[in-house]
Amino acid sequence: MEVILVRHTSVDVPKGTCYGQSDVPVAATFEQEAEVTKQNLAQYLPFDAVFASPLTRARRLAAYCGYPQPRLDNRLKEMYMGEWEMQSYEEITDPYKEEWYNDYMHLPTPGGEGFPQVYQRVAAFLDELRQKDYQRAAVFAHGGVLICAGIYGGLFSEADAWDHLVPYGGMEKIEI
């Protein structure tokens, strides 16, 4: 099965804000970005199933692309940043921040998740999806979710995963 994963468009928060699972608004450029995404997505049509994170930025892009009622799944949410949600990374004074920066692929944020927990929930979603009889599915989600899916699908390794972060409104394709 082909799974086309689509990252949400730009968000309307100051650069450097740790927004994770906060339900932030999309940027004023939403329609322009979403139109490009919709046109790029057309090469993969049709889809047997469409899924989305329940966060507005993913659902809104799915709707713009012609899927106003995707199947929502909490496992497709971005990493929960806990106590750091909606804070500027520069303004976070927690001394643990340096330790987390040095090992963010393994350590959780205070009161939040770590990459292993996000990977586990995305992998559980994909394990379940691969049991379905679909030829092609679309998933509207977040950068961290696409990183997890790329590792799961063998596109890249955990060691260089963040070198493959899909831009806002971009896509990646995996085979499961």
Side-chain angles (χ1 to χ4, degrees), residues 79-80 84 96 100 103-104 106-117:
M79 180 186 293
Y80 178 54
W84 295 351
Y96 175 73
W100 183 79
D103 196 14
Y104 58 85
H106 301 101
L107 297 175
T109 58
E113 292 181 296
F115 186 81
Q117 289 78 36

Side-chain angles (χ1 to χ4, degrees), residues 4-85:
I4 310 304
L5 296 115
V6 184
R7 186 177 181 198
H8 63 80
T9 58
S10 300
V11 294
D12 188 18
V13 297
K15 188 171 175 59
T17 300
C18 180
Y19 58 90
Q21 286 188 9
S22 296
D23 207 5
V24 299
V26 295
T29 55
F30 173 77
E31 286 198 19
Q32 296 93 327
E33 291 179 60
E35 185 59 32
V36 171
T37 300
K38 182 179 180 179
Q39 290 175 14
N40 290 335
L41 193 60
Q43 68 184 303
Y44 297 110
L45 298 175
F47 295 110
D48 300 311
V50 178
F51 300 87
S53 159
L55 297 176
T56 302
R57 55 193 185 265
R59 287 187 297 111
R60 188 161 174 203
L61 182 57
Y64 187 94
C65 290
Y67 307 100
Q69 295 185 334
R71 298 173 195 177
L72 303 180
D73 195 306
N74 283 323
R75 296 173 292 183
L76 299 174
K77 286 183 177 179
E78 185 58 279
M79 180 186 293
Y80 178 54
M81 300 301 287
E83 296 171 15
W84 295 351
E85 287 272 331

